[in-house]
Amino acid sequence: MTLPLKTIRTVAVALAMAAAASRAAAQEAALVLTVTASETQAPLPGAQVKLDGRGVAVTDAGGTVRVAMAPGAHQVEVSAIGRHVQTLRATLAAGRTEDVEVQLMPDAVPLRPVTASESRGWEQDFLRRPAMPSLDPAPPSAGRWIYRPRT
């Protein structure tokens, strides 16, 4: 029994694609980052991870993320709202997966000083103001809200 030429070509192409995919997977490296708060060691969900300046991932509820990358040296930047940015250099060999824990320190935001003073004049101004505006529903057919100042 002889196989048609078209079937032989299809099988050859499928085998070549499978071999290329396995070689590509073997060439890939990965970092598994666990991002925590430095003061409590609690996981930080939603922390952003940049690889070589490009945003690539966000940590899950457990503060963990897996970042696949080409083998070699890379700059990894981890940031979260209210935290100092942490930058590290990672050099990975092909087929390797490395686990890294990153602790982010709180970032204090400086505020200008506030001066408080006492004054009763605002109470009189407040009492003389007209009533506050309200949101009244529009007619049922409109299906929306209309802003109408009170008079």
Side-chain angles (χ1 to χ4, degrees):
M1 177 174 156
T2 306
L3 292 174
L5 186 56
K6 184 176 182 181
T7 304
I8 294 172
R9 279 190 210 145
T10 303
V11 170
V13 168
L15 288 173
M17 289 175 63
S22 68
R23 279 193 305 271
Q27 296 297 323
E28 187 176 85
L31 273 180
V32 177
L33 298 168
T34 302
V35 183
T36 59
S38 65
E39 70 279 7
T40 63
Q41 280 69 46
L44 286 176
Q48 297 178 349
V49 178
K50 289 183 180 181
L51 181 64
D52 297 327
R54 292 185 20 221
V56 293
V58 175
T59 58
D60 61 15
T64 303
V65 66
R66 183 180 192 279
V67 180
M69 61 185 71
H74 298 279
Q75 181 175 330
V76 181
E77 184 177 288
V78 183
S79 62
I81 294 174
R83 303 279 168 176
H84 283 286
V85 175
Q86 183 82 295
T87 303
L88 54 116
R89 193 104 176 120
T91 303
L92 296 173
R96 294 289 312 240
T97 298
E98 296 290 334
D99 295 330
V100 178
E101 182 177 342
V102 178
Q103 293 187 346
L104 298 182
M105 295 178 54
D107 188 12
V109 178
L111 300 175
R112 292 182 295 175
V114 176
T115 304
S117 63
E118 182 180 358
S119 172
R120 295 276 182 190
W122 70 269
E123 292 173 345
Q124 298 301 321
D125 291 339
F126 180 76
L127 294 174
R128 280 183 276 204
R129 287 187 191 162
M132 296 294 290
S134 67
L135 286 176
D136 294 327
S141 62
R144 59 186 176 165
W145 289 82
I146 297 176
Y147 172 79
R148 291 189 181 117
R150 291 185 186 164
T151 54

